[in-house]
Amino acid sequence: MAAGRQRVIDLYKTLLYMGRDYPQGYDFFRSRLKKAFQRNRDISDPEQIKMLVKRGEFVVKEIEALYMLKKYRTLKQRYSTEKDQS
Amino acid sequence: MARVLVGVKRVIDYAVKIRVKPDKSGVVTDGVKHGLNPFDEIAIEEAVRLKEKKIASEVIAVSCGISQAQESLRTALAMGADRAVHVEVPQAQYDTLLPLHVSKMLARVAVDEKADIIIVGKQAIDDDSNQTAQMTAALLGWPQATFASEVTVADGNVLVKREVDGGLETVKVKLPAVISADLRLNEPRYATLPNIMKAKKKPIKKLTAADVDVDLAPRQQVLSVEDPPIRQAGSVVPDVDTLITKLKEKGHL
């Protein structure tokens, strides 16, 4: 439990930090994030916690990819003359 | 092993809607979210990758600007730069700072730090000048490879694929050289929270314009900054004949 607790807190902090760049705003992201964590507050099975943390870490990667793609697309739209998709 | 110098600029975040000041002297920057210029992120990423491939020994990030430019240097450090140099320019002079001034500072810092490669973003998304790399190369007398979409370093030479109109051009330049990064060069990594924290311990050297012997006197005067014209609303025409008469009226046929 003790080691798991730190991992969960780290995950929450990382996500909170990433939420500052979220397209729909920080408040939107923060309230959802809090709800998502609170939903699982009663879980005490270490295996299940591990699994949920893994899922959280996957979400972190997804958000990173989302930001990168959004930036790339915006810049491409602004600075390229060719009109192809990607 | 080469030493790589990366020029970075703090600009208004790419996703922010830009507003012009009512007196037309510039754009609103107070209280607006800022970030690292996206093309400079690509430049840092390339430098850090060179270091990971053991081609570069050290990555130094440089920024010229007001004290907040340190934020962008921190981001650069978090992405993997080893140390940073901040040439501080007061706000009053920063408003009239031109790529030429920045190039002179970069050139001087490159000589002082004994850099072998300078990588910068091809342009900043705020003024879109696209001049710094070219002028820095000219001031130093180094070869330049601009709009890079692929960089390979091999025995004192750099092979750079450049994005030109209608295709790619490959140039070979001798080191030391100046490279400017185009959008497709790489996919910059995200500056994660732990790395930002670690970056706070990395050193930032502070210099002033006087330390690098650059005269900040303005060479241009901004007469007015205006919004782009708003697109006129269209109208729906009932049939082809009206369309043709309307087009003829406007002289398009």
Side-chain angles (χ1 to χ4, degrees):
Chain A
M1 181 68 201
R5 186 183 153 80
Q6 194 51 51
R7 268 186 88 188
V8 173
I9 292 172
D10 282 350
L11 178 67
Y12 189 73
K13 276 190 181 168
T14 306
L15 282 162
L16 212 52
Y17 168 75
M18 296 188 88
R20 286 197 274 186
D21 293 327
Y22 204 69
Q24 277 141 299
Y26 181 56
D27 293 330
F28 173 91
F29 189 91
R30 204 177 72 130
S31 59
R32 303 272 163 136
L33 181 67
K34 197 168 179 180
K35 259 187 228 155
F37 271 72
Q38 269 177 347
R39 214 179 299 133
N40 296 325
R41 61 185 300 177
D42 297 323
I43 294 174
S44 53
D45 174 25
E47 276 309 305
Q48 211 176 346
I49 291 176
K50 217 183 245 176
M51 206 190 71
L52 286 168
V53 169
K54 277 239 170 72
R55 202 179 78 189
E57 280 159 3
F58 173 74
V59 171
V60 170
K61 291 274 167 246
E62 289 282 279
I63 297 173
E64 269 180 29
L66 167 81
Y67 290 166
M68 204 199 75
L69 207 60
K70 184 170 175 256
K71 195 178 273 182
Y72 177 79
R73 284 189 178 156
T74 316
L75 286 174
K76 191 173 163 164
Q77 208 182 357
R78 275 184 211 165
Y79 290 105
S80 305
T81 40
E82 70 224 79
K83 289 268 177 274
D84 56 349
Q85 289 95 40
S86 84
Chain B
M1 293 277 255
R3 209 188 291 260
V4 185
L5 194 77
V6 186
V8 299
K9 184 177 186 183
R10 175 179 175 264
V11 297
I12 296 179
D13 189 80
Y14 78 99
V16 171
K17 173 111 178 65
I18 302 293
R19 281 183 303 133
V20 172
K21 280 188 197 158
D23 64 355
K24 294 184 177 176
S25 63
V27 296
V28 180
T29 52
D30 294 336
V32 175
K33 190 180 168 206
H34 282 68
L36 184 54
N37 175 33
F39 289 109
D40 295 342
E41 282 179 1
I42 298 171
I44 295 166
E45 176 66 33
E46 194 60 25
V48 173
R49 285 187 192 186
L50 286 178
K51 197 187 166 199
E52 284 165 356
K53 283 187 220 152
K54 310 268 183 233
I55 293 165
S57 56
E58 191 178 29
V59 178
I60 309 162
V62 193
S63 191
C64 312
I66 52 175
S67 53
Q68 284 95 322
Q70 286 195 12
E71 292 165 21
S72 45
L73 286 174
R74 290 281 173 216
T75 317
L77 293 170
M79 287 176 74
D82 297 294
R83 58 194 177 91
V85 178
H86 177 206
V87 185
E88 193 158 355
V89 179
Q91 182 72 54
Q93 271 98 46
Y94 189 64
D95 289 339
T96 54
L97 197 72
L98 291 171
L100 180 61
H101 299 123
V102 178
S103 305
K104 283 180 179 168
M105 294 182 203
L106 270 183
R108 176 62 192 271
V109 173
V111 171
D112 290 350
E113 301 287 346
K114 300 186 185 61
D116 306 292
I117 307 175
I118 300 180
I119 309 181
V120 291
K122 66 164 177 169
Q123 64 194 64
I125 60 165
D126 52 358
D127 59 8
D128 287 321
S129 294
N130 186 352
Q131 296 166 357
T132 307
Q134 292 85 336
M135 291 200 289
T136 309
L139 287 167
L140 286 164
W142 292 5
Q144 55 179 288
T146 47
F147 312 114
S149 79
E150 199 186 313
V151 173
T152 29
V153 182
D155 9 285
N157 290 313
V158 192
L159 273 183
V160 178
K161 277 205 181 120
R162 304 181 59 229
E163 297 211 11
V164 292
D165 287 347
L168 290 171
E169 178 188 61
T170 309
V171 293
K172 188 166 145 188
V173 293
K174 272 210 177 73
L175 288 180
V178 181
I179 299 168
S180 81
D182 210 326
L183 185 58
R184 286 171 200 77
L185 181 58
N186 57 44
E187 293 162 356
R189 66 195 67 186
Y190 193 79
T192 59
L193 187 57
N195 284 343
I196 296 255
M197 292 301 170
K198 277 180 219 153
K200 289 189 176 160
K201 294 198 185 100
K202 291 184 183 176
I204 294 185
K205 186 158 106 186
K206 264 198 197 173
L207 298 173
T208 61
D211 293 335
V212 288
D213 298 325
V214 176
D215 176 16
L216 293 175
R219 288 161 171 263
Q220 274 181 8
Q221 186 191 354
V222 175
L223 296 179
S224 118
V225 175
E226 279 165 47
D227 278 309
I230 300 158
R231 192 168 166 268
Q232 298 287 310
S235 61
V236 179
V237 288
D239 51 43
V240 177
D241 290 338
T242 2
L243 173 69
I244 289 170
T245 16
K246 281 210 165 170
L247 282 175
K248 273 185 180 155
E249 261 171 38
K250 299 208 165 146
H252 293 308
L253 277 180

